[in-house]
Each structure stands twice: as C-alpha cells, then as structure tokens.
C-alpha cells in the first residue's frame, strides 16, 4: 500500500509518513526497510484497526463504600445504549481484586493506628494483591445485574481496597467496562497508640502508653478491650 525512498540524516536515522488508504485491509501489517548500500532488510509489524466509538455505557456501583472484614459487599451493574434503551440479556464478565490501601481515622493525628512496625517483616500477613472474583453473568431485561461478594479477607492486617469491574459485551462484540471500589477495614475499630515524645527511652524506664479506640468515622469507641505484647496490639474487641 506504500513505497518510498529516503536518505538517513547525520545521525543515521530517518522518518517517513505512510498514508494508509481508506480501502486498506484491517489487521496485521508489516513495514520493511531495505538499505540500498548493503541490501540489508529490517522489518516490524503493526496493526491496522478501525476506530469505533462506544454505542453504550456501563456503570458499576456499590451499596456501601466502606465495609468491615467479614461483611458482604453488594455491587450493582447497569448497561444502557446511548439512545437510553437497556442492554437486555447482554453478556458480562465480573472480576474483583484486593490491594493494600492507606487509611487513617479522622481525628487520630498524633496516634499510630497500624501495626506495620511489627508486621513489616511478615510479607505473607497481608497480600499486596489478590483475586477475589472471576465469573460470567448476564444483564436482565432492564439492563441490570448485581453481585454479592463475601469478604473473609484471609491474612488481612491493614485497610484494603476491593476493586470490582464488570465487562459488558454487546451483540457486535464491543466491550465496555464499569468499575467501582470498596474500602475494607480489618476490624470494627482501630486501636491507636499515641506517638511518644522521643523515640529513645532509657534502660529500665517505665512506659505509659496512651491508647484510644477509633471507629473508621473517627468517633471514639467506648467499652473496647485490647491486649498488648511487645508494643504490638494483638487483639481488639467490643463488649456487647
């Protein structure tokens, strides 16, 4: 579809614009360069594709943006053509992955609310990422679909983000994705220990740690019990 001649510049390079006719076949193509002086040949492949704008939209949402480990997350998917007709019976592919997130309760400035200082050497305690869901489904007559996802979150020691994505395919095999995320707290509340004025303590000194229990909203939690060992909060529960 294109042939031309050119000379290399002072750096030994060259650039060419290769106009493709509208009648060019779609698919894989090859560009070949031949050096006249040595007849050496170099080639590379590329893809010729036709851009097609999306003809439908997909949205994904969650009932709650924050949950606690052990809860069930509820995700909703809606597919709609741009002329506002629902994508009835369209195929979907759902997936969900987990990843470590950063979270600090409101009002906890000056307090340490993670045990990373203790668990940083134990990489298997809280996976950096992992797959939680992989399944196929179908939109109903209204273009809707929902998924419930249990969140046992084995090994979780830190706040994590669960990202849900649904890939919806129309009758022309065009795929559009919608995604949303949910923050998963490792427990109902965070135990915060006030940062000491100094990181250095004399041998034989007595430590007086100040501890507060914070709900994710930042509210102080009354009636909470905690146990400590070697400066690490190892358990926490709320009295019923």
């Amino acid at each position: 579809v294109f042939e031309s001649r050119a000379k290399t510049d002072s750096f030994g390079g060259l650039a060419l614009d290769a106009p493709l006719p509208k009648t060019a076949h779609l698919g894989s193509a090859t560009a070949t360069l031949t050096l006249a002086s040595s007849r050496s040949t170099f080639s590379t492949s590329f893809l010729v594709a036709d851009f097609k704008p999306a003809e439908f939209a997909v949205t994904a949402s969650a009932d709650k943006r924050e949950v606690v480990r052990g809860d069930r997350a509820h995700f909703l998917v809606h597919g709609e053509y741009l002329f506002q007709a629902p994508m009835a019976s369209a195929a979907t592919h759902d997936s969900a992955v987990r990843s470590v997130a950063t979270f600090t309760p409101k009002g906890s400035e000056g307090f340490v609310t993670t045990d990373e200082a203790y668990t940083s050497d134990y990489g298997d305690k809280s996976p950096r990422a992992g797959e939680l869901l992989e399944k196929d489904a179908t939109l109903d007559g209204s273009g809707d679909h929902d998924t419930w996802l249990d969140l046992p979150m084995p090994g979780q020691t830190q706040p994590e983000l669960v990202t849900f994505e649904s890939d919806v395919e129309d009758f022309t095999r065009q795929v559009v994705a919608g995604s949303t995320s949910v923050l998963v707290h490792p427990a109902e509340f965070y135990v915060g220990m006030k940062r000491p004025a100094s990181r250095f303590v004399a041998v034989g000194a007595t430590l007086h740690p100040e501890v507060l229990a914070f709900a994710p909203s930042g509210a102080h939690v009354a009636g909470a019990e905690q146990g400590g060992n070697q400066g690490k909060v190892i358990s926490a529960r709320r009295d019923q």
Side-chain angles (χ1 to χ4, degrees), residues 151-168:
L151 298 172
M153 307 295 283
Q156 182 183 9
T157 61
Q158 308 174 50
E160 295 193 30
L161 199 66
V162 171
T163 301
F164 170 84
E165 181 174 284
S166 184
D167 300 321
V168 179

Side-chain angles (χ1 to χ4, degrees), residues 93-191:
H93 180 76
D94 297 341
S95 62
V97 295
R98 61 186 289 190
S99 59
V100 175
T102 301
F103 176 82
T104 303
K106 295 179 181 179
S108 63
E109 295 81 4
F111 285 81
V112 178
T113 56
T114 73
D115 57 0
E116 292 180 6
Y118 185 88
T119 61
S120 59
D121 293 332
Y122 298 88
D124 59 336
K125 290 294 184 179
S126 190
R128 299 299 301 179
E131 187 177 86
L132 300 176
L133 174 70
E134 188 87 23
K135 72 170 187 177
D136 295 323
T138 304
L139 300 183
D140 62 19
S142 299
D144 296 321
H145 157 60
D146 71 332
T147 294
W148 287 92
L149 179 62
D150 293 325
L151 298 172
M153 307 295 283
Q156 182 183 9
T157 61
Q158 308 174 50
E160 295 193 30
L161 199 66
V162 171
T163 301
F164 170 84
E165 181 174 284
S166 184
D167 300 321
V168 179
E169 181 179 316
D170 71 354
F171 65 93
T172 67
R173 305 187 71 85
Q174 187 177 29
V175 177
V176 174
S179 64
T180 188
S181 58
V182 171
L183 182 65
V184 183
H185 299 288
E188 291 184 1
F189 58 86
Y190 292 83
V191 176

